C-alpha cells in the first residue's frame, strides 16, 4: 500500500506545468470568490423595509403563548414585551403600531420561518449566541430582556436547590440553548439526570404539572410567567435559586439587510433614550418646545436622524407615543409577573440597558 502511494506521488504524467497550475489556481480562486460573493450580494440586495411597506404591515414571529412576553388577552389582543417590541418597529416604519401581524412560531421552526422570509423579524425569547449569528445567517439587533436559565420544582418535593436534582427527570424543549445548558450544568456538577424532551411549551408544562417529570427548566422569566398563570395554585411551584446561564433575549433579523437592522436596533434605543430623558407616552407633548439638544434630536426637530434611517422625522416620537418608553413596556408586561427589573434596568440605575447617543 505504501509503495503504491509512492508510485502515484512520483508520477508526472498527469501533473500540469507550472504556468498551467498557476492559471488553474487563479481560476479556482476567482470561482471561489464569485461563489462566496453570490450569497452576500443576494443578502445585500434584499430590502425588507420595502417589502414591509409594500405589504402594508410587519410580519413578526413570536411564541404566542408566553404571558408577559406574547400571549392573547381576554379580547384576543396579543400582549407582552415581545409583542410590544414588534409594535415598536411597526410604529417606527409606519407611524402606526397596529400595522403588525403576529406569527406564532415554535422553538423548532422559528429559525426556518425567518430564513425563508415567512416573517420579517423574530422576537421569541430567543438567546443571542455566536452560532446563531455566525452560521445561521442572523443578526441580533436588540436585547429586550437579559435573562438566565433556571429550574422549577413542586414545592411539595422538598427540593430547594438544583444540586438536589440528582437522578431527577427534567422536562425541557428540544432545539434550544436550554437543553444544552442543562446538560453542561449537570455534567459540571457530576449529577446524573434524565431529560424528558417535549416539543411545545404547553406540553412541557402539562407534563410537569401531571408529575411526568420532577423539574422543569427554561429561562427564569418563562418559569415566572408559567407560575403566574397558575393563579391560586402558584404557591405550589418553587423557582430554584440557581441561574445557570446568560440568556440575552431580543429581536433577530436576517443578516445583510442593514437598513432594516438599523431600524429595529434604533427603535429599541429610542425607547431607552426616552426613559433616560424622562419622556413617556403620557408626557411627551410637554417636550415639544424643549431647548435640550438631546430632546430636540429625539423629537425630530434637529439632526435629520429619521432621514438617515429612511424614516419620518418624528419616528422616535411615534415609538414612544404609541408603545411607550422601555420602562413603560416593562411595567405593563413584566412587573405583573413579580419579576424585578434588576439587570434590565437602565445603566444609570445599575442595569445593562444602555443606548448609544441619538445624534
Amino acid at each position: 500500500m505504501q509503495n503504491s502511494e509512492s508510485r502515484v506521488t512520483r508520477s508526472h504524467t498527469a501533473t500540469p506545468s507550472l504556468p498551467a497550475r498557476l492559471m488553474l489556481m487563479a481560476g479556482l480562486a476567482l470561482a471561489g470568490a464569485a461563489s462566496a460573493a453570490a450569497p452576500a450580494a443576494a443578502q445585500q440586495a434584499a430590502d425588507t423595509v420595502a417589502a414591509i411597506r409594500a405589504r402594508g404591515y410587519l410580519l413578526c414571529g413570536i411564541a404566542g403563548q408566553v404571558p408577559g412576553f406574547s400571549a392573547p388577552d381576554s379580547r384576543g389582543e396579543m400582549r407582552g414585551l415581545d409583542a410590544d417590541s414588534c409594535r415598536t418597529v411597526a410604529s417606527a416604519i409606519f407611524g402606526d403600531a397596529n400595522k403588525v401581524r403576529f406569527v406564532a412560531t415554535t422553538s423548532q421552526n422559528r429559525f426556518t420561518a425567518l430564513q425563508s422570509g415567512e416573517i420579517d423579524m423574530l422576537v421569541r425569547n430567543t438567546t443571542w449566541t455566536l452560532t446563531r449569528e455566525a452560521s445561521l445567517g442572523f443578526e441580533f439587533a436588540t436585547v429586550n430582556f437579559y435573562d438566565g436559565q433556571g429550574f422549577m420544582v413542586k414545592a411539595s418535593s422538598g427540593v430547594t436547590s438544583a444540586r438536589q436534582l440528582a437522578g431527577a427527570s427534567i422536562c425541557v424543549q428540544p432545539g434550544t440553548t436550554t437543553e444544552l445548558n442543562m446538560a453542561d450544568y449537570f455534567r459540571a456538577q457530576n449529577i446524573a439526570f434524565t431529560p424528558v424532551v417535549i416539543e411545545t411549551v404547553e406540553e412541557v408544562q402539562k407534563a410537569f404539572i401531571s408529575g411526568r417529570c420532577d423539574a422543569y427548566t427554561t429561562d427564569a422569566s418563562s418559569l415566572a410567567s408559567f407560575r403566574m398563570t397558575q393563579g391560586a395554585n402558584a404557591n405550589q411551584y418553587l423557582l430554584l435559586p440557581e441561574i445557570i446561564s446568560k440568556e440575552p433575549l431580543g429581536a433577530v433579523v436576517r443578516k445583510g439587510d442593514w437598513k432594516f437592522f438599523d431600524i429595529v436596533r434604533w427603535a429599541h434605543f429610542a425607547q431607552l433614550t426616552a426613559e433616560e430623558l424622562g419622556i413617556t407616552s403620557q408626557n411627551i407633548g410637554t417636550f415639544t418646545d424643549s431647548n435640550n439638544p438631546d430632546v430636540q434630536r429625539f423629537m425630530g426637530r434637529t439632526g435629520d436622524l429619521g432621514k438617515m434611517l429612511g424614516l419620518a422625522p418624528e419616528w422616535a416620537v411615534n415609538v414612544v407615543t404609541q408603545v411607550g418608553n422601555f420602562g413603560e413596556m416593562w411595567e405593563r408586561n413584566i412587573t405583573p409577573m413579580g419579576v424585578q427589573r434588576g439587570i434590565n434596568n437602565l445603566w444609570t440605575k445599575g442595569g445593562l440597558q444602555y443606548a448609544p447617543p441619538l445624534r
Side-chain angles (χ1 to χ4, degrees):
M1 178 70 74
Q2 186 175 4
N3 291 336
S4 174
E5 288 176 350
S6 298
R7 283 196 298 272
V8 172
T9 302
R10 289 196 300 270
S11 174
H12 295 284
T13 56
T15 304
S17 64
L18 178 59
R21 289 201 304 272
L22 292 174
M23 291 176 64
L24 178 61
M25 291 170 62
L28 290 172
L30 288 171
S35 62
Q43 286 181 326
Q44 291 170 357
D47 192 339
T48 305
V49 179
I52 292 169
R53 285 185 168 137
R55 187 192 306 126
Y57 52 86
L58 171 75
L59 288 169
C60 198
I62 54 168
Q65 73 286 337
V66 182
F69 290 88
S70 60
D73 63 14
S74 58
R75 297 180 300 173
E77 292 289 328
M78 193 61 66
R79 301 298 178 194
L81 189 75
D82 288 349
D84 278 349
S85 292
C86 299
R87 292 187 176 97
T88 296
V89 177
S91 62
I93 293 174
F94 292 109
D96 185 348
N98 293 318
K99 289 192 173 182
V100 55
R101 291 192 183 176
F102 299 103
V103 179
T105 62
T106 68
S107 60
Q108 295 289 73
N109 70 17
R110 55 184 166 170
F111 297 134
T112 302
L114 183 58
Q115 288 167 332
S116 67
E118 181 183 345
I119 55 178
D120 301 312
M121 61 185 288
L122 177 69
V123 196
R124 190 200 178 280
N125 305 89
T126 299
T127 302
W128 184 357
T129 70
L130 184 151
T131 300
R132 289 170 176 175
E133 280 199 338
S135 70
L136 296 184
F138 300 141
E139 291 287 348
F140 281 74
T142 68
V143 175
N144 69 353
F145 197 103
Y146 288 96
D147 205 354
Q149 184 175 332
F151 296 90
M152 180 174 284
V153 297
K154 291 182 178 177
S156 60
S157 69
V159 173
T160 58
S161 168
R163 293 182 176 85
Q164 296 174 302
L165 292 174
S169 57
I170 303 177
C171 280
V172 64
Q173 279 187 277
T176 64
T177 55
T178 305
E179 190 177 11
L180 300 174
N181 293 337
M182 175 179 66
D184 288 347
Y185 174 77
F186 286 117
R187 186 181 300 113
Q189 299 294 324
N190 197 28
I191 295 174
F193 73 102
T194 301
V196 180
V197 181
I198 302 174
E199 176 70 25
T200 68
V201 172
E202 297 93 334
E203 291 172 341
V204 169
Q205 293 171 351
K206 288 178 182 177
F208 175 59
I209 291 172
S210 69
R212 184 177 166 188
C213 48
D214 302 310
Y216 169 26
T217 185
T218 187
D219 294 340
S221 59
S222 295
L223 293 175
S225 172
F226 160 71
R227 185 172 57 186
M228 182 180 70
T229 65
Q230 301 308 299
N233 295 324
N235 290 335
Q236 295 181 17
Y237 304 100
L238 176 66
L239 186 58
L240 299 180
E242 288 84 1
I243 300 296
I244 67 169
S245 69
K246 295 182 291 184
E247 305 290 336
L249 313 177
V252 193
V253 299
R254 289 180 291 276
K255 191 186 291 286
D257 191 345
W258 302 116
K259 181 164 67 172
F260 185 52
F261 173 88
D262 286 345
I263 291 173
V264 175
R265 166 169 282 189
W266 285 96
H268 173 70
F269 287 156
Q271 290 184 299
L272 297 179
T273 300
E275 186 177 4
E276 287 184 24
L277 295 172
I279 301 173
T280 71
S281 60
Q282 301 302 309
N283 69 13
I284 193 167
T286 66
F287 287 82
T288 303
D289 298 321
S290 173
N291 292 322
N292 183 328
D294 291 330
V295 173
Q296 290 179 345
R297 285 189 291 269
F298 183 91
M299 302 296 287
R301 292 170 53 197
T302 61
D304 287 333
L305 302 185
K307 183 178 180 181
M308 296 177 193
L309 291 169
L311 302 174
E314 65 278 7
W315 66 278
V317 173
N318 290 335
V319 166
V320 174
T321 300
Q322 298 189 31
V323 186
N325 67 30
F326 188 74
E328 289 180 282
M329 280 209 318
W330 185 277
E331 290 296 321
R332 182 166 61 242
N333 299 303
I334 305 301
T335 297
M337 296 166 53
V339 176
Q340 298 297 314
R341 191 158 173 192
I343 60 174
N344 285 286
N345 225 319
L346 293 179
W347 67 283
T348 54
K349 298 179 180 179
L352 297 177
Q353 292 290 356
Y354 182 104
L358 264 70
R359 60 187 315 152

